[in-house]
Amino acid sequence: MPRPVTLFTGQWADLPLSDLAPLAKAMGYDGLELACWGDHFNVQEALKNPEYIKQKLELLHQHDLKVYAISNHLVGQAVCDLIDERHKSIVPEHVWGDGDPEGVRRRAAEEIMDTARAAQALGVKVVNGFTGSSIWHSIYAFPPTSQDFWEAGFEDFGKRWGAILDVFEQCDVNFALEVHPTEIAFDIATSERAIKAVNNHPRFGFNYDPSHLGYQHVDYIRFIRQFADRIFHVHMKDVWWGHGDGSVGVFGGHTSFGDYRRYWDFRSLGHGDIKFEDVLVALNDINYSGPLSVEWEDIRMDRVHGASESAAFVRKLDFTPSRVAFDAAFERK
């Protein structure tokens, strides 16, 4: 059967879940990927109050929706990052604390461990998120950057996330990094290096999102085949590139999304340059049977229109792989 089509609620956190759930159903979704911000899913409340999870599941059930994953990108970002004032606006107050950078990183790690425990209590097997990176700022190698410098960043990631992943193992939950600029892994080469940094930990894998690879000119189909056993979840999001007026390149030019000068921008599904049929063929080839979760981001389009259109787009394009060889019918019995 075709895979469930879900909606990532991160870009809808301004709406209470009680309003978003019926809207998501009306837009054509089978379930939700709950963000751990807004009022959609509170990690600490889930651990303290058994009724909290029961109420969330009942709300989703009322609207014939399921939950297949939760996502804690915002806190995960703080685990390895060089902390600055921007992080204060995205992490919970108890994670920020007094703002001491190392304290923030440690409290963020503890919160991600608790997210694994909360996922277990909710009954889901995947937590999606970011890792942050202590070396992203050195993406352009000047001043000259040695491999030793970069290796120290991967070692820092491995040390911090190794302990976190051990908790995921205890909880029988997978962590799926959304490979993404600003993270420890942002392309195929750095994804390979990240796996090595956590000693091939079985609980570390990926939330596959082609939009973050395409505009970098990374082969987003090769990514699927190369990491077949580590794709734990899939985001469906489109992007276009090669647009703009030639004044902004792939690094973004310190422009905002939607600026007409930009070389690339996120688009609603079917309006960008990602070849989604190729994506789905490759996902079939690796036997991925999990949800296809729409992460809707298109600053040019009304989000209800875009998310409704995206649900229909995925449902029309997804297909069950063949169980027979089409040319077998020509054989003499």
Side-chain angles (χ1 to χ4, degrees):
M1 295 295 291
R3 289 156 282 231
V5 180
T6 64
L7 178 70
F8 176 40
T9 71
Q11 290 77 13
W12 306 74
D14 57 308
L15 298 179
L17 189 60
S18 58
D19 290 346
L20 179 57
L23 177 60
K25 190 62 182 180
M27 291 190 296
Y29 290 93
D30 301 315
L32 299 178
E33 172 195 347
L34 293 176
C36 295
W37 55 90
D39 82 336
H40 297 180
F41 192 76
N42 185 297
V43 168
Q44 296 305 323
E45 192 65 25
L47 294 178
K48 290 186 295 187
N49 180 8
E51 285 299 309
Y52 178 83
I53 286 179
K54 181 180 178 182
Q55 291 165 4
K56 292 292 182 185
L57 293 175
E58 287 177 350
L59 173 61
L60 297 181
H61 181 71
Q62 288 171 15
H63 301 287
D64 194 26
L65 295 170
K66 295 182 179 180
V67 56
Y68 298 90
I70 61 174
S71 294
N72 208 348
H73 294 66
L74 305 187
V75 171
Q77 186 68 37
V79 173
C80 288
D81 259 12
L82 303 178
I83 303 299
D84 60 40
E85 65 274 9
R86 297 172 301 159
H87 295 84
K88 184 176 182 179
S89 66
I90 66 170
V91 299
E93 290 184 7
H94 67 273
V95 172
W96 180 257
D98 61 4
D100 172 70
E102 184 57 24
V104 173
R105 286 187 284 267
R106 289 177 178 172
R107 288 187 292 273
E110 292 168 359
E111 185 78 359
I112 294 296
M113 292 176 189
D114 279 346
T115 306
R117 299 177 181 113
Q120 181 184 36
L122 183 64
V124 301
K125 296 291 188 181
V126 177
V127 171
N128 298 316
F130 290 154
T131 60
S133 170
S134 65
I135 52 174
W136 171 253
H137 67 288
S138 64
I139 184 68
Y140 199 85
F142 194 87
T145 308
S146 68
Q147 283 295 331
D148 288 343
F149 183 94
W150 282 324
E151 186 57 30
F154 280 94
E155 289 175 359
D156 176 74
F157 158 72
K159 180 180 178 181
R160 295 179 189 276
W161 280 89
I164 293 170
L165 293 168
D166 287 343
V167 175
F168 274 77
E169 176 65 29
Q170 294 165 13
C171 296
D172 191 25
V173 174
N174 291 327
F175 177 77
L177 165 63
E178 188 167 338
V179 175
H180 184 297
T182 75
E183 307 314 312
I184 196 66
F186 53 91
D187 57 15
I188 291 174
T190 50
S191 295
E192 292 174 326
R193 205 161 174 175
I195 292 169
K196 182 179 178 181
V198 292
N199 295 316
N200 299 298
H201 201 294
R203 293 299 175 176
F204 180 73
F206 302 116
N207 175 43
Y208 172 76
D209 185 333
S211 71
H212 301 298
L213 302 171
Y215 74 84
Q216 295 186 72
H217 302 283
V218 175
D219 188 332
Y220 53 87
I221 303 302
R222 176 181 171 181
F223 189 100
I224 294 173
R225 301 190 192 283
Q226 185 156 336
F227 301 112
D229 60 342
R230 291 185 183 269
I231 293 179
F232 298 149
H233 193 265
V234 170
H235 270 182
M236 298 290 279
K237 186 168 68 175
D238 213 341
V239 65
W240 70 9
W241 58 90
H243 296 260
D245 69 353
S247 63
V248 175
V250 71
F251 294 124
H254 295 313
T255 59
S256 299
F257 291 121
D259 191 308
Y260 73 92
R261 297 170 294 173
R262 289 177 64 90
Y263 171 77
W264 67 272
D265 225 331
F266 295 125
R267 297 305 316 274
S268 194
L269 289 176
H271 295 274
D273 295 318
I274 296 296
K275 297 178 179 178
F276 281 102
E277 185 160 0
D278 290 1
V279 169
L280 290 169
V281 167
L283 290 174
N284 280 346
D285 287 347
I286 69 165
N287 297 313
Y288 174 79
S289 60
L292 301 173
S293 186
V294 171
E295 183 181 21
W296 189 83
E297 292 182 348
D298 189 331
I299 203 166
R300 293 172 170 83
M301 186 182 294
D302 173 78
R303 66 179 177 179
V304 173
H305 172 86
S308 301
E309 184 183 66
S310 293
F313 177 89
V314 177
R315 207 173 293 284
K316 180 180 179 180
L317 194 59
D318 191 24
F319 51 87
T320 303
S322 177
R323 302 302 180 193
V324 299
F326 69 86
D327 54 352
F330 301 128
E331 296 178 1
R332 180 175 293 142
K333 301 299 183 183

